[in-house]
Amino acid sequence: MRSRQTTGQHTLPSLVPVTGAVPPPGHRPPEEHLPELQQALLARFDANARPLPWRRHYTPYEVWISEIMLQQTQMERGVSYFLRWMERFPDLPALAAASEEEVLHAWEGLGYYSRARNLLAAARLVMREHGGIFPSDPEAIRALPGIGPYTTAAIASIAFNLPVACIDANAERVIARVFDVDSPVKSGPAAARIAELARRLLPEGEARRHNQAMMELGALVCGKKPRCGQCPLARFCTALHLGIVHERPVPGKKAEITPIEVVTGVLSSHDRVFVQKRLPQGAWGGLWEFPGGRVEPGETPEQAVVREFAEETGFTVRVTAPLGIIRHGYTTYRVRLHCFALELVTDATPQPPEPPVLTAATACRWLERGELESLAMPALHRRTGDGMACARRSPGRRTGPVHLSKVEPHGSAPYWMPGLSAAALPEKSAPKADFSASGHEKRLDRPPILSLYGCPKWRGSHCRIILMQNMRSQRGGLNRPPFFCTCDRADAQEGT
């Protein structure tokens, strides 16, 4: 049984898990039946291939952009970003002519911003040295900025159908199980064996279909929770025959996760906020941000944000309100970002002052909050700015009861929000789903923090940050209600 998921205009198939991993009768050793295995794999791909947008024409530009985007990115999210990217930069000349600011802004939310800068550098190099034609030679592809061995193989095989084996984590998992690779797959001997097996598996003239088939099988069927009952290679799979599917691939040593406490502050003066452009080096190089940094031992977050502003800008500031805590995970880090609203200790000038120094930035600006949308910012700082805007719109200092209405969006769980219709909301925040009020109402003796955006719980920062994330996701084009609140439903509904 196959269900389908919709992403924009594209419908992506997903498979229903099958419990148990029972080997089929008559195991066929894979190395003795390679042609049969190849045909079974290709037949499954032909019947079940996802209609991904870059598969319409397999142009080198589209394949290249998709491969870079899908690094560290889930497929559904990658499709959404890919479609918007192609609207803004439809071909290689359009990308090469863009500014770095435009490219970073289009990339915002995907993270690892060096990828975006490398895309721009590679596009300009192709225009300059290859006459605007994306190179087909693997060595020339490998020489482009930001392209490593895997991406070279993916572009060469998928865009040009060259006989190059493509091995990502999904293909690696399939090979490790089918051929029972019994040592950590990232180790030298195991990696070499997997590479050799991948080359032997590659059928002549079918690199494009085969590599995509292998990676898609690993993503949708032979995943971390394998669906062996739906796998076309089950009768060849040695790990399934031996009953050790869940022991393959053999993992390596897990990377240690380092917790990091950091702070940032939104400094306001004369209805404008202060932002600075980061130095070119580092993961967020060239992006705009609110100043901040790490919490030092013995410091409170409030003390840290005041110190960071003094060190980076020379401004003497004080905290006026907390904006909440944003939690975010990276490959080897777990970040807790403490966000604060700030003001200048002395603000006697008729307009926002220039900072005495800039030690961690190349430029700075005082902007109205609506102007932040035009800047390329890290996702964490974008959420901080969203939270500040919400906090200013909320009637948090108002006294008296607030009416809440129960909203029941189609296809999503109901939630409570103040008695505002979707038509009364800002156009950019209007929900994409159809909303209808159920007629239920509650009264809170104290107002919610973010009443305009529907958060019915006034204490704590958890719900505020989740709300900010979903507001940002709505602008990013994902189909989820921008007012969703993850507060405890019973607590929120009763207003206790």
Side-chain angles (χ1 to χ4, degrees), residues 261-263 293-301 304 307-308 336 338:
E261 298 283 325
V262 293
V263 294
R294 291 200 184 194
V295 179
E296 299 293 344
E299 274 186 325
T300 66
R307 173 186 54 76
E308 286 288 342
R336 289 211 321 161
H338 301 261

Side-chain angles (χ1 to χ4, degrees), residues 31-332:
E31 297 196 42
E32 299 174 11
H33 299 85
L34 288 183
E36 190 177 346
L37 186 155
Q38 293 166 341
Q39 289 304 313
L41 181 65
L42 293 176
R44 190 234 168 241
F45 181 71
D46 291 342
N48 299 276
R50 293 177 287 188
L52 301 173
W54 49 88
R55 288 178 176 171
R56 292 174 180 170
H57 308 293
Y58 288 111
T59 66
Y61 175 70
E62 292 185 342
V63 172
W64 170 47
I65 297 299
S66 70
E67 286 297 332
I68 300 298
M69 280 190 172
L70 290 175
Q71 296 170 9
Q72 306 291 328
T73 304
Q74 293 182 345
M75 179 62 75
E76 288 76 9
R77 184 175 178 83
V79 169
S80 176
Y81 271 85
F82 176 87
L83 294 173
R84 290 201 305 277
W85 180 278
M86 288 301 158
E87 290 178 0
R88 177 62 187 84
F89 311 113
D91 51 31
L92 207 151
L95 175 58
S99 67
E100 181 177 288
E101 184 80 14
E102 291 176 299
V103 172
L104 291 175
H105 194 272
W107 195 265
E108 185 181 314
L110 285 174
Y112 301 94
Y113 289 89
S114 61
R115 293 182 293 168
R117 286 189 287 271
N118 284 330
L119 281 174
L120 180 58
R124 291 173 175 174
L125 188 149
V126 170
M127 294 298 295
R128 185 173 63 251
E129 298 186 8
H130 298 277
I133 306 298
F134 200 96
S136 59
D137 178 66
E139 290 187 7
I141 296 173
R142 180 70 177 86
L144 296 177
I147 294 185
Y150 163 76
T151 308
T152 299
I155 296 172
S157 63
I158 298 173
F160 299 103
N161 200 30
L162 296 180
V164 182
C166 188
I167 308 171
D168 71 345
N170 294 312
E172 188 177 72
R173 189 184 310 112
V174 172
I175 294 173
R177 285 172 174 163
V178 170
F179 292 91
D180 185 27
V181 179
D182 59 0
S183 57
V185 291
K186 300 299 183 184
S187 66
R193 185 184 175 204
I194 288 174
E196 174 60 26
L197 289 169
R199 286 191 291 269
R200 291 179 57 196
L201 279 170
L202 192 65
E204 185 177 355
E206 295 288 359
R208 172 182 292 158
R209 290 169 64 214
H210 172 86
N211 282 339
Q212 292 183 99
M214 182 71 75
M215 293 186 288
E216 194 147 299
L217 183 72
L220 300 180
V221 179
C222 192
K224 293 180 180 180
K225 295 181 180 180
R227 300 168 167 92
C228 298
Q230 299 175 7
C231 182
L233 307 186
R235 63 185 182 276
F236 308 103
C237 183
T238 306
L240 179 61
H241 176 67
L242 299 174
I244 55 173
V245 172
H246 292 282
E247 299 175 26
R248 300 289 182 269
V250 177
K253 183 180 179 181
K254 287 188 176 181
E256 294 186 4
I257 304 299
T258 303
I260 300 178
E261 298 283 325
V262 293
V263 294
T264 192
V266 183
L267 175 61
S268 300
S269 176
H270 300 279
D271 293 322
R272 292 177 177 268
V273 295
F274 180 83
V275 291
Q276 63 181 19
K277 191 171 187 179
R278 292 175 65 95
L279 299 173
Q281 302 82 11
W284 291 347
L287 298 180
W288 292 86
E289 66 168 3
F290 302 109
R294 291 200 184 194
V295 179
E296 299 293 344
E299 274 186 325
T300 66
E302 290 82 356
Q303 292 170 335
V305 74
V306 170
R307 173 186 54 76
E308 286 288 342
F309 260 80
E311 293 176 355
E312 293 186 8
T313 68
F315 283 138
T316 303
V317 302
R318 57 174 163 245
V319 173
T320 60
L323 294 177
I325 300 173
I326 301 176
R327 295 170 175 84
H328 193 75
Y330 297 94
T331 306
T332 57

Side-chain angles (χ1 to χ4, degrees), residues 470-493:
N470 282 289
M471 288 166 53
R472 185 64 194 159
S473 294
Q474 178 67 21
R475 284 204 295 276
L478 300 183
N479 189 21
R480 57 176 83 166
F483 315 114
F484 182 76
C485 169
T486 61
C487 294
D488 177 62
R489 290 305 203 292
D491 179 66
Q493 292 176 15

